[in-house]
Amino acid sequence: MATTAVANPDAELTQAELAARYGLSVAGERPGLVTYIKQLWSYRHFISAYANAKLAASFSTARLGRVWQVLTPLTNAAVYYLIFGVVLNTSGEIDNFIAYLCTGLFVFTFTQSVVSGGVQAITGNLGLIRALHFPRAALPIAITLTQFQQLLASIVVLAGIVLVDGEPLTLEWLLLVPAMLLQSVFNAGVAMAMARLGSKVTDLKQVVPFVMRTWMYGSGVLYSVANFEKHLPGTVAWLVQLNPLLVYIELMRHALMETAPVTASQTQSWLLGIGWALVAGVLGFIYFWRGEKEYGRG
């Protein structure tokens, strides 16, 4: 009795068609942008837990523990006040110089710490990346969240400094919240961009401290921003006003101080702050996402 051969419906399909038919995909393939965002949202609890663990670990070996969250910004403020306020006597140009200095210093330190951590977000976590599957953007975002928690502790210290220095408590202090959130979005975008660059150029972490130091001196952290108009050509002074760190520092000074010298109106500062957050946040995220399948390989 003759047997009838059963036709294989997949026999004439290409590998790509077979993969599409059975829902297969390339291992390590980069997901679409919308899918990636959804994946990242589904890992929000991991990001939060990882950020909290990083913060706790950073003080785990210190005898005073998290007290250093308060002592570190206070110590930095004291050192810079001694140098710039007393030795170089820049305090004479600004009313309530201590409040002015500390506001600039704490805001700058937030971005500095995120950038420095972001550049090593991939290279410093290769073991985790190779062992577990998760959206890699979780790492620079967790670094931003860790430093945001540090900023909150600094803001508590800053509020006390500002009040002791003679500034009144006003409703404008509420503007601290949106200002910090805008800076956080900006920082996260920069951290993601630096994370991808740092994974490609490992020596970048050696360059970042010099870049950040230069950025600090160009952001009016330690002296009156009126010096920009006094000593720089008009076009250069205008370009300095667009400096995102200067923008976020001035938003905080607008909120906390009544007479602080600034380079732009409050409206202009808010528009620039929103613009920089959108540009850095969106472009930094897309740039990082495009390199998703590269991280942890090689």
Side-chain angles (χ1 to χ4, degrees):
M1 181 170 126
T3 57
T4 304
V6 178
N8 183 356
D10 297 336
E12 297 183 0
L13 296 180
T14 65
Q15 291 183 340
E17 291 170 334
L18 282 170
R21 178 174 223 177
Y22 294 104
L24 303 178
S25 61
V26 177
E29 184 180 26
R30 183 185 69 209
L33 185 58
V34 175
T35 302
Y36 190 68
I37 293 172
K38 291 179 179 178
Q39 289 178 355
L40 199 57
W41 175 251
S42 70
Y43 276 85
R44 62 191 182 277
H45 300 300
F46 165 76
I47 295 172
S48 176
Y50 185 71
N52 292 333
K54 291 278 286 185
L55 182 63
S58 65
F59 297 108
S60 61
T61 59
R63 187 178 296 273
L64 296 179
R66 290 200 175 191
V67 175
W68 282 108
Q69 283 185 269
V70 176
L71 291 181
T72 299
L74 279 176
T75 304
N76 287 335
V79 170
Y80 281 111
Y81 175 73
L82 177 63
I83 296 172
F84 288 90
V86 178
V87 177
L88 298 180
N89 196 31
T90 58
S91 59
E93 304 173 6
I94 306 167
D95 294 333
N96 299 342
F97 177 73
I98 297 178
Y100 181 91
L101 171 67
C102 291
T103 302
L105 187 61
F106 293 177
V107 173
F108 172 79
T109 300
F110 179 30
T111 295
Q112 180 187 44
S113 300
V114 171
V115 172
S116 299
V119 77
Q120 299 182 71
I122 299 300
T123 57
N125 292 285
L126 289 177
L128 182 64
I129 289 171
R130 290 168 178 167
L132 300 174
H133 175 72
F134 62 93
R136 310 313 188 195
L139 295 173
I141 291 174
I143 289 170
T144 305
L145 184 57
T146 299
Q147 296 305 323
F148 182 76
Q149 293 179 69
Q150 293 271 38
L151 176 66
L152 292 179
S154 297
I155 291 297
V156 173
V157 176
L158 179 61
I161 292 172
V162 170
L163 290 173
V164 170
D165 207 30
E167 292 290 340
L169 178 63
T170 66
L171 288 176
E172 288 201 352
W173 281 38
L174 296 175
L175 294 175
L176 291 174
V177 176
M180 288 190 295
L181 292 178
L182 286 176
Q183 189 187 2
S184 297
V185 174
F186 171 82
N187 287 353
V190 174
M192 285 185 278
M194 295 302 292
R196 184 178 179 187
L197 289 172
S199 70
K200 293 174 174 289
V201 185
T202 55
D203 286 346
L204 187 60
K205 65 181 180 181
Q206 308 298 334
V207 180
V208 165
F210 300 102
V211 173
M212 295 308 300
R213 193 173 301 120
T214 303
W215 202 357
M216 178 178 70
Y217 290 125
S219 301
V221 174
L222 308 171
Y223 49 80
S224 174
V225 293
N227 288 319
F228 294 140
E229 292 186 2
K230 290 180 182 177
H231 304 295
L232 295 176
T235 303
V236 178
W238 178 78
L239 289 174
V240 169
Q241 291 181 22
L242 302 180
N243 174 0
L245 261 181
L246 176 60
V247 169
Y248 293 121
I249 288 171
E250 292 203 337
L251 284 176
M252 299 286 276
R253 285 173 175 162
H254 271 301
L256 292 171
M257 304 179 68
E258 291 192 323
T259 59
V262 291
T263 61
S265 67
Q266 194 167 9
T267 300
Q268 182 179 344
S269 293
W270 279 109
L271 291 175
L272 286 171
I274 293 169
W276 275 117
L278 290 174
V279 169
V282 173
L283 295 185
F285 181 78
I286 293 175
Y287 177 68
F288 185 90
W289 161 73
R290 289 179 65 84
E292 177 73 10
K293 64 182 180 181
E294 305 168 2
Y295 306 133
R297 298 189 175 186

